[in-house]
Amino acid sequence: QVQLVESGGGLVQPGGSLRLSCAVSGGRTLDYYSVGWFRQAPGKEREGVSAISSRGDGTYYADSVKGRFTISRDNANNAFWLQMNNLKPEDTAVYYCAADRRGRAANWYVRNGMTEWGKGTLVTVSS
């Protein structure tokens, strides 16, 4: 098992930007894992935001964030990020980073989830 810790959440005005980070420790090196970001808004089910393959050569984004969010990773430093631009009030949620070793495609993970999870960081988009 790996441990995942998110950081970078906070309060931002509509149109603003935030960069979420996920630090990974324990288990095998990050090279073995596909990783992703998920979110859960108040009163709603958790949804997939984005995922990236273990080698970083495949990414997928939910339609709601496409063109505004960018996922990236650094296997050597066991970390990955979610750059969020042009944030909207509907992006308000607890954001979770996650990892998985099953070798599925990025779009599969966004739709179905992953096996290892962080505890989440709150992003609030409000004026």
Side-chain angles (χ1 to χ4, degrees), residues 20-103:
L20 303 183
S21 300
C22 185
V24 184
S25 61
R28 291 179 176 267
T29 62
L30 197 58
D31 307 62
Y32 288 87
Y33 294 85
S34 297
V35 297
W37 292 91
F38 298 77
R39 67 186 182 186
Q40 186 166 20
K44 294 188 177 181
E45 293 186 353
R46 186 185 67 200
E47 64 173 350
V49 175
S50 181
I52 185 170
S53 62
S54 58
R55 293 182 295 179
D57 54 354
T59 59
Y60 186 81
Y61 297 90
D63 287 344
S64 58
V65 306
K66 203 171 294 183
R68 300 187 297 123
F69 291 10
T70 303
I71 191 170
S72 60
R73 63 187 295 161
D74 182 347
N75 289 346
N77 287 297
N78 288 326
F80 58 102
W81 300 269
L82 185 69
Q83 177 67 42
M84 305 186 294
N85 297 330
N86 190 22
L87 283 159
K88 304 176 181 180
E90 52 263 42
D91 294 317
T92 296
V94 176
Y95 283 72
Y96 299 89
C97 64
D100 193 292
R101 287 178 54 192
R102 290 176 287 177

